């Protein structure tokens, strides 16, 4: 998606430690028109899949999920991230690791909102090593839901997260795919 | 807003400890069509205020903020909640207390996204004792921004949060105002 690539090149800041800061339009300030366009593009790509739920993780995934769900005509659901290992009969839980924050966390969603009748489109702001996406896929599989695919805003393709064996058979569509990223040399897209 | 009151009566669960659970359409699963309607209603109410930013707090405020911002034609911004007292030159911070979770936290937003030129509409999912809203107002005042008002999905009016002296001069519009709430007697709106 050229629109997103352009914004990343204009406003994105590549920091040390492999961090891409796009706070000005996605991770703190939200350019809702841009995210609405991402929602429309995901709808174009997945419109024949009879999506019943769009699943994401708090917090930065929520805006993308809302606009995708609006155009797909289904509800959005967001998994919460907890530092404690919540165990409850009514929760699907999956462990994940944040390389950005250097901590483990548990992804949690109520069993009331993802079930075996669901055809789920997972969306998220970033796909890097694939840890968050692995956890979201795990929540769906525990629920017996079918994952129609994953829609990602920004994929750090050089990290290879989308190639994990856990994602075999899952169609992953990224709106911007970064081939390489460096504080000095800048960002190169695939 | 009758549409929202109806959904609260149909799907809301009043739990002990003064908790209203509306996870099925707002706090975990998001009925994006309903939230889009809330966004349109907030736009109708505040359209003459030249709003430049819609500010909310993660996570449940984000969806409301996105739809309000889309219709108002401005960006949304979400403050993060941190358990640690983040101090940085580039952050506005304000303390708040969650009665639901029984803990203190710090509301944080980058100085890059709220400034003296801004006319801010604050939105949130709940207004109860007013602690979160006080913190969001404080972030705006630190930034020198003008608060045009607050748009709330569900106000527990019986708690009197909207009457705090901190909110004098701030127009608060709640889409559903609960006059009383009890696990046995149910919910009565104002």
């Amino acid at each position: 998606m050229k629109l997103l690539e352009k914004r990343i090149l204009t406003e994105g800041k590549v920091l040390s430690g492999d961090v891409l800061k796009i706070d000005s339009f996605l991770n703190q300030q939200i350019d809702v028109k841009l995210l609405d366009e991402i929602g429309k593009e995901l709808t174009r790509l997945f419109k024949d899949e009879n999506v019943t739920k769009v699943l994401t993780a708090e917090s930065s995934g929520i805006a993308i999920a809302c606009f995708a769900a609006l155009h797909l005509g289904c509800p959005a659901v967001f998994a919460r991230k907890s530092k404690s290992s919540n165990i409850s009969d009514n929760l699907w839980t999956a462990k994940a690791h944040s390389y950005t924050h250097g901590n483990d966390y548990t992804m949690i969603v109520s069993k009331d909102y993802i079930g075996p009748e669901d055809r789920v489109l997972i969306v998220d702001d970033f796909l890097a090593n694939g840890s968050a996406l692995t956890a979201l896929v795990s929540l769906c599989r525990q629920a017996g839901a079918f994952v129609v695919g994953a829609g990602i805003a920004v994929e750090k393709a050089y990290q290879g997260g989308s190639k994990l064996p856990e994602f075999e058979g899952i169609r992953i569509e990224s709106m911007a795919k970064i081939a390489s990223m460096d504080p000095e040399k800048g960002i190169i897209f695939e």
Side-chain angles (χ1 to χ4, degrees), chain A:
Chain A
M1 229 185 137
K2 287 290 164 203
L3 199 66
L4 179 59
E5 290 184 1
K6 217 168 164 180
R7 284 298 284 280
I8 294 169
L9 288 178
T10 321
E11 295 177 35
K13 285 174 198 154
V14 183
L15 309 181
S16 60
D18 200 44
V19 173
L20 174 63
K21 210 167 171 259
I22 48 175
D23 278 13
S24 64
F25 58 92
L26 206 155
N27 294 117
Q28 173 139 134
Q29 181 164 257
I30 302 170
D31 180 337
V32 289
K33 277 185 195 163
L34 175 68
L35 267 64
D36 191 39
E37 290 302 320
I38 292 176
K40 285 179 189 164
E41 176 64 6
L42 290 173
T43 300
R44 192 184 67 76
L45 292 164
F46 290 99
K47 66 177 185 309
D48 297 328
E49 292 288 354
N50 301 315
V51 175
T52 64
K53 298 279 166 72
V54 176
L55 175 67
T56 192
E58 65 179 356
S59 288
S60 297
I62 295 175
I64 304 170
C66 280
F67 291 117
L70 187 71
H71 297 295
L72 284 163
C74 68
V77 176
F78 63 95
R80 293 188 181 273
K81 294 171 181 172
S82 169
K83 277 175 195 160
S84 55
S85 293
N86 276 268
I87 296 174
S88 152
D89 282 351
N90 202 38
L91 294 175
W92 306 116
T93 67
K95 295 240 156 107
H97 181 79
S98 166
Y99 289 86
T100 311
H101 300 105
N103 64 329
D104 291 325
Y105 62 92
T106 306
M107 199 88 89
I108 298 166
V109 75
S110 165
K111 291 184 182 178
D112 293 340
Y113 307 123
I114 302 285
E117 69 289 357
D118 280 317
R119 295 177 59 83
V120 179
L121 173 64
I122 298 172
V123 306
D124 211 355
D125 54 342
F126 277 100
L127 169 59
N129 58 75
S131 177
L133 186 56
T134 300
L136 289 167
V137 168
S138 166
L139 296 178
C140 292
R141 289 187 171 149
Q142 290 172 55
F146 181 72
V147 179
V148 307
I152 304 295
V154 185
E155 180 183 341
K156 292 178 179 172
Y158 59 91
Q159 289 204 14
S162 66
K163 307 282 191 295
L164 290 182
E166 288 89 326
F167 304 147
E168 215 184 299
I170 296 179
R171 175 181 168 200
I172 300 179
E173 298 278 1
S174 301
M175 302 300 98
K177 281 176 118 164
I178 298 176
S180 72
M181 190 176 91
D182 183 285
E184 281 165 28
K185 293 178 199 154
I187 299 163
I188 295 167
F189 292 103
E190 273 196 357

